[in-house]
Amino acid sequence: MARLIPVSDPADPRLADYVRLRDMNLRKSLEAEHGLFVAEGEKVIRRAAGAGHPVRSLLMSRRWAEPLADLLDGLDAPVYIAADAVLEAITGFQVHRGALASVERLPLPAVDSVLAGARRVLVLEDLVDHANVGSIYRCAAALGIDAIVLSPRCADPLYRRSVKVSMGAVFAIPYARMANWHDDLVKLRATGFTLLALTPDQAATPMDEAATGDRIALLLGSEGDGLSSHWLDEADEAVCIPMSPDAMSAGVDSLNVTAAAAIACHTLSRMVPA
Ligand SMILES: C[S@@+](CC[C@H](N)C(=O)[O-])C[C@H]1O[C@@H](n2cnc3c(N)ncnc32)[C@H](O)[C@@H]1O
């Protein structure tokens, strides 16, 4: 049986995992210090638990306890029940999705181990927007990507917003974080991957005309600056998704990185069939 524990004091230390969920700096340091992340909504909490992440506690308004009863009964964690106003005072926003869970992070695997057996891989360089990262994981899971590699500074896929936007796809795709931004692409190529650098530069090879191989890694750049010149130089080929000839005159010189990822993953699924 779930342990339902009514709480009314937003300063209750048992709720410290949930404070100020929109304060990115606070959350980054708190979550790193305690090795946790926050999952929001029934589906995401189920997927996090199903992926083997231990649940530390849950926090929700009482009306959600019954519809979530089977989930709560299967978890050995305290379930804190609070009024909506208390939830808002703790988290800093109106909690619409019903339930929050504080969940333990698991150690990330090494890059080599997520690449073993993978043939279609995304490599993300220094993305800063958590929603973009979550969205790219969702595209990747939907479009047959085997693994994702993050640059050392790329935004955290387990940040609450990434997890939420991914709808839990962050638990479905194996991923790892590079230790060394400068050298680790070379190691990727050494394991047999052709590196295709996605750039909006329309002088690059259209992606569907690029050289194929048994194993392809697509490099995607950050929202502002795109791929660094170092990564563009390290790639085997720079490739673009052709845009409308009128786009430039309309002031549109690139796609959003998520849109680019979706098109590129779909193209890749034809270049490297399963
Ligand atoms: C918003 S764009 C960055 C724009 C940046 N000014 C640049 O020149 O790269 C973010 C990333 O999305 C991908 N991207 C955007 N538009 C693309 C296109 N038409 N073809 C291929 N990749 C694209 C690239 O990987 C790029 O680094």
Side-chain angles (χ1 to χ4, degrees):
M1 277 294 284
R3 285 177 284 148
L4 300 190
I5 304 165
V7 288
S8 56
D9 177 4
D12 187 326
R14 293 172 298 177
L15 308 178
D17 288 358
Y18 301 96
V19 294
R20 289 170 30 210
L21 290 177
R22 288 196 169 152
D23 181 337
M24 201 186 303
N25 289 333
L26 170 87
R27 295 306 308 181
K28 275 186 182 168
S29 61
L30 185 152
E31 293 183 13
E33 186 185 342
H34 298 286
L36 62 87
F37 65 95
V38 170
E40 188 176 355
E42 175 187 352
K43 206 176 267 183
V44 169
I45 296 169
R46 283 186 198 276
R47 289 183 180 166
H53 289 272
V55 176
R56 291 159 60 98
S57 66
L58 297 102
L59 173 64
M60 66 190 69
S61 66
R62 184 166 293 281
R63 65 182 175 281
W64 288 103
E66 202 182 313
L68 296 179
D70 72 303
L71 168 67
L72 304 183
D73 284 346
L75 297 172
D76 182 24
V79 182
Y80 299 112
I81 301 292
D84 288 346
V86 177
L87 285 175
E88 189 171 348
I90 299 162
T91 61
F93 70 100
Q94 288 183 339
V95 180
H96 293 299
R97 292 225 167 196
L100 298 167
S102 169
V103 183
E104 284 180 25
R105 289 172 184 257
L106 300 172
L108 276 187
V111 173
D112 286 355
S113 82
V114 300
L115 294 181
R119 297 174 61 221
R120 297 182 285 209
V121 168
L122 296 185
V123 189
L124 309 184
E125 187 185 28
D126 295 2
L127 268 65
V128 293
D129 185 309
H130 291 100
N132 282 342
V133 171
S135 221
I136 290 173
Y137 272 73
R138 192 168 178 183
C139 290
L143 295 169
I145 295 298
D146 300 316
I148 295 181
V149 177
L150 308 173
S151 68
R153 290 194 313 188
C154 189
D156 178 13
L158 293 185
Y159 191 74
R160 180 182 60 91
R161 185 130 175 80
S162 315
V163 176
K164 181 176 167 184
V165 170
S166 82
M167 287 303 294
V170 291
F171 309 120
I173 297 265
Y175 72 95
R177 194 177 280 281
M178 290 174 167
N180 187 312
W181 167 81
H182 192 270
D183 298 337
D184 283 0
L185 276 185
V186 179
K187 290 189 198 160
L188 225 141
R189 190 190 292 103
T191 58
F193 280 91
T194 303
L195 308 183
L196 300 184
L198 266 291
T199 169
D201 181 353
Q202 298 293 289
T205 309
M207 187 180 161
D208 56 5
E209 294 172 20
T212 55
D214 279 347
R215 307 180 90 188
I216 290 188
L218 300 180
L219 317 184
L220 286 156
S222 69
E223 295 86 350
D225 294 337
L227 286 169
S228 61
S229 52
H230 175 57
W231 278 33
L232 281 165
D233 289 347
E234 285 294 336
D236 294 289
E237 192 167 8
V239 297
C240 70
I241 296 160
M243 298 191 297
S244 154
D246 300 332
M248 282 292 184
S249 48
V252 177
D253 61 2
S254 67
L255 293 160
N256 165 279
V257 66
T258 302
I263 296 169
C265 290
H266 179 67
T267 309
L268 184 61
S269 67
R270 288 155 185 247
M271 293 165 75
V272 183

